[in-house]
């Protein structure tokens, strides 16, 4: 998988991709990440990438020409086989399902917006999708682009070890994870729940399932609508509602 990233702040990507599992995947040759400075694709003397909004109002808007030119230069004949994505607060929400879909691509180009936004012709006539990572206000698309690279890279074959590979579909049940504990069994008077110390695998599995259901019910009840639930799960949840 190859990611190309178009940004006015290429230095932001130096740290996060070096350390971490994404960094390991890059070293192992499983992923390539190429960061491009959008300013290099401006054509005027001052290398202008933004301008005042038509219709007035404050702030600046990213100009379309450097972005179109960068996509054309970076992709060339690869344009048809590349998914071109604008990170934008107006985008569809990034979900695990979308991450899996992106993981099936050979090449992804991520465009990071800045300032008050990007000339809408980019969204309408250049990109394949607009994606947002969530409903909070950010200053630009760089961190969202890193989130996309991270979420997609961990799904690629060979990136996670055996232990991690099993966890890839763990969101598939659609529930929050059960609580995890490690040694010591007692810490500052807080103890590890008895079932986990029992050595009884059936008992442990049942406890974990119920904790996952309880946490999801308490913290993310919205997830229960789409979750894969057995009759026993539903009965347990009915007990929580009382
Ligand atoms: C995003 C103007 O550039 C921005 C600003 C906010 C923002 C993005 C790009 S992408 N928020 C999100 O994913 O929610």
């Amino acid at each position: 998988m190859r990611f190309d990233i178009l940004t006015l702040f290429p230095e932001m990507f130096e740290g996060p991709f070096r350390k971490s599992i994404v960094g390991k995947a890059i070293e192992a040759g499983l992923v390539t990440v190429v960061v491009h400075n959008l300013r290099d694709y401006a054509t005027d003397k001052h290398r202008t990438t933004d301008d005042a909004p038509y219709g007035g109002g404050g702030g600046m808007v990213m100009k379309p020409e450097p972005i179109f030119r960068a996509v054309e230069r970076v992709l060339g004949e690869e344009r048809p086989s590349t998914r071109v994505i604008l990170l934008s607060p107006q985008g569809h929400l990034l979900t695990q399902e979308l991450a899996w879909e992106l993981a099936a691509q050979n090449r992804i180009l991520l465009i990071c917006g800045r300032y008050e936004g990007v000339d809408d012709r980019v969204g309408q006539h250049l990109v394949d999708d607009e994606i947002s990572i969530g409903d909070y206000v950010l200053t630009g698309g760089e961190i969202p682009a890193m989130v996309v690279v991270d979420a997609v890279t961990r799904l690629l074959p060979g990136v996670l070890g055996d232990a991690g590979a099993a966890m890839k579909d763990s969101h598939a049940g659609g529930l929050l994870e059960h609580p995890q504990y490690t040694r010591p069994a007692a810490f500052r008077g807080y103890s590890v729940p008895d079932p986990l110390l029992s050595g009884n695998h059936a008992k442990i599995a049942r406890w974990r399932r119920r904790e996952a259901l309880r946490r999801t019910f308490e913290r993310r009840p919205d997830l229960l609508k789409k979750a894969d639930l057995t009759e026993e799960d539903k009965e347990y949840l009915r007990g929580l509602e009382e």
Side-chain angles (χ1 to χ4, degrees), residues 188-211:
R188 299 191 180 182
Y190 306 119
S191 50
V192 172
D194 284 331
L196 295 180
L197 306 175
S198 71
N200 179 333
H201 292 290
K203 185 178 261 188
I204 291 168
R206 198 173 81 123
W207 181 86
R208 284 180 165 171
R209 183 70 186 177
R210 291 183 167 195
E211 287 298 299

Side-chain angles (χ1 to χ4, degrees), residues 62 86-90 112-118 131-142 144:
M62 285 175 74
L86 175 65
L87 283 313
S88 150
Q90 282 76 44
C112 306
R114 273 276 150 178
Y115 313 118
E116 278 57 62
V118 177
I131 295 178
S132 165
I133 62 161
D135 293 336
Y136 27 76
V137 182
L138 301 172
T139 57
E142 281 77 11

Side-chain angles (χ1 to χ4, degrees), residues 99-156:
W100 276 109
E101 187 189 324
L102 296 178
Q105 297 276 330
N106 278 320
R107 198 160 171 184
I108 294 172
L109 184 146
L110 302 169
I111 304 170
C112 306
R114 273 276 150 178
Y115 313 118
E116 278 57 62
V118 177
D119 185 288
D120 208 60
R121 287 166 288 194
V122 170
Q124 290 201 40
H125 305 295
L126 181 65
V127 309
D128 300 311
D129 316 283
E130 291 188 43
I131 295 178
S132 165
I133 62 161
D135 293 336
Y136 27 76
V137 182
L138 301 172
T139 57
E142 281 77 11
I143 289 171
M146 293 174 202
V147 168
V148 170
V149 170
D150 192 282
V152 171
T153 297
R154 67 179 287 285
L155 300 178
L156 301 177

Side-chain angles (χ1 to χ4, degrees), residues 2-10 12-14 17 22 26 31-38 41 70-71 74-75 85 87 107-113 141-150:
R2 171 167 167 163
F3 292 97
D4 289 282
I5 298 171
L6 305 186
T7 173
L8 290 170
F9 298 94
M12 283 183 70
F13 293 86
E14 283 168 22
F17 290 159
V22 173
I26 294 169
V31 181
T32 304
V33 180
V34 183
V35 180
H36 308 266
N37 190 342
L38 262 174
Y41 297 89
V71 169
V74 167
L75 296 183
I85 294 168
L87 283 313
R107 198 160 171 184
I108 294 172
L109 184 146
L110 302 169
I111 304 170
C112 306
E142 281 77 11
I143 289 171
M146 293 174 202
V147 168
V148 170
V149 170
D150 192 282

Side-chain angles (χ1 to χ4, degrees), residues 64-97:
E65 308 97 306
I67 300 175
F68 274 73
R69 195 157 170 265
V71 169
E72 287 157 5
R73 292 277 190 96
V74 167
L75 296 183
E77 297 186 338
E78 298 280 287
R79 174 65 188 89
S81 56
T82 303
R83 188 85 163 249
V84 176
I85 294 168
L86 175 65
L87 283 313
S88 150
Q90 282 76 44
H92 295 114
L93 270 190
L94 178 64
T95 59
Q96 194 59 24
E97 186 184 343

